[in-house]
Amino acid sequence: MANHKSALKRIRQNETRKLRNRYYHKTARTALKSLRNEENKAAATEQLPKVIALLDKLAKKNIIHKNKAANLKSKLTKHVNKLA
């Protein structure tokens, strides 16, 4: 266990950030899943910009890698465009 005050504070901060990042990541996965399961093109087209913005925010905060965000955005756009 850490003995310094600064180390104890760092442990508390890391735990808070870990929980926050886990929440963001889980929220993003849920949004991706709902968009992938969408059958209606109009609803999917409306939902796509929100999911893309969410992925961009996660990439900016280094919760996911920027290339992973780009790959997901590309796949989702192709999926939405393919819907009839």
Side-chain angles (χ1 to χ4, degrees), residues 53-72:
L54 184 65
L55 289 172
D56 286 335
K57 286 178 190 169
L58 292 181
K60 187 177 181 184
K61 293 178 182 178
N62 287 325
I63 295 171
I64 60 173
H65 196 272
K66 64 177 184 169
N67 291 351
K68 181 173 177 66
N71 290 337
L72 287 171

Side-chain angles (χ1 to χ4, degrees), residues 25-74:
H25 200 209
K26 185 66 177 170
T27 305
R29 282 186 291 185
T30 306
L32 290 169
K33 190 174 182 181
S34 67
L35 182 58
R36 283 192 188 117
N37 293 334
E38 187 63 55
E39 298 292 329
N40 186 0
K41 185 174 175 99
T45 306
E46 182 182 317
Q47 202 174 356
L48 182 64
K50 295 174 187 167
V51 175
I52 287 177
L54 184 65
L55 289 172
D56 286 335
K57 286 178 190 169
L58 292 181
K60 187 177 181 184
K61 293 178 182 178
N62 287 325
I63 295 171
I64 60 173
H65 196 272
K66 64 177 184 169
N67 291 351
K68 181 173 177 66
N71 290 337
L72 287 171
K73 291 190 297 188
S74 174

Side-chain angles (χ1 to χ4, degrees), residues 5-21:
K5 276 182 88 172
S6 60
L8 293 171
K9 181 177 179 180
R10 176 63 58 200
I11 290 168
R12 289 195 309 269
Q13 287 176 332
N14 287 340
E15 184 64 26
T16 304
R17 289 179 181 142
K18 183 177 87 171
L19 292 174
R20 188 180 306 131
N21 290 342

